[in-house]
Amino acid sequence: MRKRLYTAVCALCIALCAAAQVGVESVIDSVQIFIGEQAHLTLTVAMKEGQHAALPSFAPRQYMVPGVEVLEQADGDTVRLSDGTVKVSRRYTLTSFDDTLYYLPPLTVKVDGKDYTAKTPALKVLTLEVDTLHPNQFFPPKDIQDNPFQWSDWSGIFWLSLLGLLLALVGYYLFLRLRGNKPVIARIRFVKRLLPHQKAMNSIAQLKAEHASGSEDQKTYYTRLTDTLRTYLQERFGFNAMEMTSAEIIDRLKKEDSSKIAELVELFQTADLVKFAKYSTLINENDRNMAYVVEFIETTKKENEPTIERIEPTLTDNDLRTRRARRVLKVVIGVVAAILAVIMAYVIWQIILLLA
């Protein structure tokens, strides 16, 4: 008799321990929804490994309680813990189209043929306010909202555009250098120059000083005097007086200015006689011929001319680029153009995104 009582007590303890290891819980993710929205109810059972659980099942569109539909149910999800416990869960998707407070029925899980019931959750369904007094009153959609200007949205586009502009200028400059077969850096000088009549008067003043000291003979005197006049004529009137004879110069001057031709004819005749016929002149004759030149220069001079001359370097054969250097320059221009194209495409795309 004592042995039977001991066996019954042991069996009862084992049953109580097994029952204590089974737990059922139901959780709903939202206790209130609007009409037509969805809520998810998750039913979880924890049991000892080796036990078998049967969770409740609902068909699609089946009512869990009048007014609450089960749209779908997920397959059971099983998780094994390190302490030998197994958790099985299933999620139910619920919806409702009537605004009221629903007390969902307790869900029962069978574990090895024994029922275990979870606590009963509640679900409140809300409705939208409708103006029943003015059913025909409609409101148009809202206008597009203008977002405030923010420098942070446009700063990247601005700096990239500035970089693209600089690259465009560099590429254009290199292209001009390549097309003109010129060096990348050209040194241009601006020098102050004397006007034709100023250079001529300086030469005459120097000739007059040297002639007064008696340091020059008549041939040298007239050679320098006529060369000074020829240089002035070439720079002032634009014809090559240094390579022309005296008669050709007189004929050319008749087309420009005939007011002082007679004096110049006398000057050239005297100069030719001195240089080629060993003619000797008087001192006053030399001074008179110099006065003719000075008077002609003062009469025909042009003072309103620029005195700054722009001098560009003359390229020699050694200054021209080799084929390899030109090829490298072309590659650089191509790379600059490619980078510029990528930058401009990115800038345009960002502007479209900001204005969309």
Side-chain angles (χ1 to χ4, degrees):
M1 185 66 183
R2 184 180 297 176
K3 184 182 293 187
R4 291 179 180 178
L5 181 61
Y6 177 76
T7 303
V9 171
C10 290
L12 180 61
C13 291
I14 293 173
L16 291 175
C17 291
Q21 293 179 354
V22 176
V24 180
E25 180 184 16
S26 61
V27 178
I28 192 168
D29 61 354
S30 180
V31 295
Q32 63 181 18
I33 60 173
F34 285 103
I35 289 178
E37 288 188 335
Q38 298 177 2
H40 297 92
L41 174 66
T42 302
L43 178 63
T44 304
V45 55
M47 58 186 179
K48 188 177 180 181
E49 189 173 2
Q51 292 181 310
H52 180 267
L55 280 67
S57 180
F58 296 90
R61 296 294 181 180
Q62 181 181 348
Y63 285 95
M64 179 176 291
V65 67
V68 178
E69 298 181 20
V70 179
L71 295 179
E72 63 178 356
Q73 64 179 20
D75 296 334
D77 186 16
T78 303
V79 178
R80 289 177 172 79
L81 304 180
S82 59
D83 59 353
T85 303
V86 178
K87 285 189 176 182
V88 181
S89 60
R90 173 175 289 174
R91 191 178 70 169
Y92 305 89
T93 303
L94 310 178
T95 189
S96 178
F97 297 94
D98 294 321
D99 57 327
T100 186
L101 179 62
Y102 296 97
Y103 292 96
L104 302 180
L107 299 180
T108 301
V109 179
K110 288 183 176 294
V111 179
D112 291 341
K114 188 174 181 179
D115 294 338
Y116 296 91
T117 304
K119 294 182 179 180
T120 304
L123 177 65
K124 183 176 180 60
V125 181
L126 305 176
T127 186
L128 298 175
E129 295 183 2
V130 179
D131 188 0
T132 58
L133 298 178
H134 306 87
N136 296 324
Q137 185 176 1
F138 298 97
F139 297 94
K142 300 291 184 180
D143 294 334
I144 299 176
Q145 181 181 359
D146 293 331
N147 294 326
F149 175 81
Q150 293 184 356
W151 171 246
S152 59
D153 296 336
W154 293 89
S155 60
I157 297 177
F158 172 78
W159 294 116
L160 282 177
S161 300
L162 185 60
L163 176 61
L165 178 61
L166 294 177
L167 288 177
L169 294 177
V170 171
Y172 181 70
Y173 174 77
L174 293 178
F175 172 74
L176 293 180
R177 297 287 96 185
L178 178 66
R179 186 179 64 178
N181 198 26
K182 298 178 180 179
V184 176
I185 300 177
R187 294 176 175 85
I188 300 175
R189 296 183 298 115
F190 292 89
V191 297
K192 186 175 181 180
R193 68 181 183 91
L194 294 176
L195 297 179
H197 69 276
Q198 292 174 340
K199 291 193 294 183
M201 294 304 295
N202 290 341
S203 298
I204 290 175
Q206 183 180 0
L207 176 61
K208 185 177 182 180
E210 294 178 0
H211 181 68
S213 63
S215 60
E216 287 190 351
D217 56 14
Q218 290 186 354
K219 182 177 181 180
T220 303
Y221 172 81
Y222 276 96
T223 300
R224 292 181 59 184
L225 182 61
T226 54
D227 287 347
T228 299
L229 179 60
R230 288 172 182 270
T231 303
Y232 171 76
L233 293 175
Q234 181 170 320
E235 295 180 355
R236 169 62 179 84
F237 296 100
F239 60 89
N240 191 9
M242 299 298 295
E243 303 297 331
M244 299 172 65
T245 64
S246 300
E248 291 173 344
I249 293 176
I250 297 301
D251 293 337
R252 184 68 174 79
L253 285 177
K254 289 180 180 180
K255 301 178 182 179
E256 301 290 345
D257 189 352
S258 60
S259 59
K260 300 296 180 182
I261 298 300
E263 290 82 356
L264 294 186
V265 170
E266 183 179 349
L267 166 66
F268 281 118
Q269 289 177 351
T270 303
D272 290 341
L273 291 174
V274 171
K275 289 188 292 184
F276 303 111
K278 297 181 179 181
Y279 174 74
S280 297
T281 61
L282 302 176
I283 296 178
N284 58 348
E285 187 178 1
N286 296 336
D287 295 337
R288 185 175 66 249
N289 288 327
M290 179 178 289
Y292 289 158
V293 175
V294 172
E295 185 178 1
F296 178 81
I297 292 174
E298 291 292 337
T299 304
T300 59
K301 69 180 180 180
K302 293 178 63 175
E303 296 183 349
N304 297 326
E305 292 184 353
T307 58
I308 302 299
E309 184 177 2
R310 185 175 185 268
I311 301 177
E312 295 189 9
T314 302
L315 299 179
T316 62
D317 295 338
N318 294 330
D319 296 328
L320 299 178
R321 291 188 191 85
T322 61
R323 182 177 300 178
R324 179 179 178 183
R326 291 179 58 83
R327 188 182 301 114
V328 171
L329 189 57
K330 291 180 180 179
V331 171
V332 173
I333 295 175
V335 171
V336 171
I339 296 175
L340 179 60
V342 173
I343 291 177
M344 296 306 298
Y346 178 78
V347 168
I348 294 175
W349 174 249
Q350 290 299 316
I351 292 176
I352 293 176
L353 292 180
L354 288 175
L355 298 180

